[in-house]
Amino acid sequence: GVEPQFVCRYFEKLSMTGEINKFRKGVAITSLSGKSLTQIPIPIPPVKEQREILQKITVLMSRCDELERLRKVKE
């Protein structure tokens, strides 16, 4: 029981925080191989909790979008 969107959001978090970089290979142009992907620990809570987390993320992201819209209006 894994919500694909939960895993997607988790990878977005790893990317935003830079945590994913320790799994990348290369110097100038880095890559993330299938083998590297298997080394990334993904905490998987129960499906119900995954859905609750996704709902909270959706609410928070919509608030961020609204704040961004308001900021642009003031400019």
Side-chain angles (χ1 to χ4, degrees):
V2 177
E3 289 286 332
Q5 189 63 27
F6 179 82
V7 176
C8 181
R9 290 291 189 173
Y10 183 72
F11 275 99
E12 287 175 353
K13 178 252 188 203
L14 292 178
S15 180
M16 294 293 290
T17 61
E19 295 172 76
I20 202 161
N21 293 334
K22 63 184 169 188
F23 298 99
R24 294 182 183 275
K25 302 285 186 223
V27 179
I29 300 175
T30 62
S31 65
L32 193 59
S33 68
K35 185 175 180 180
S36 294
L37 284 172
T38 65
Q39 303 302 310
I40 299 173
I42 303 174
I44 304 292
V47 173
K48 181 181 177 198
E49 188 175 343
Q50 291 176 47
R51 290 180 181 145
E52 290 169 358
I53 291 168
L54 288 169
Q55 286 175 338
K56 288 181 182 182
I57 289 171
T58 300
V59 169
L60 292 171
M61 292 306 292
S62 67
R63 287 182 184 171
C64 289
D65 291 343
E66 179 64 15
L67 289 171
E68 180 66 15
R69 186 189 68 75
L70 291 170
R71 184 186 66 79
K72 287 181 178 179
V73 168
K74 287 183 178 182
E75 290 180 347

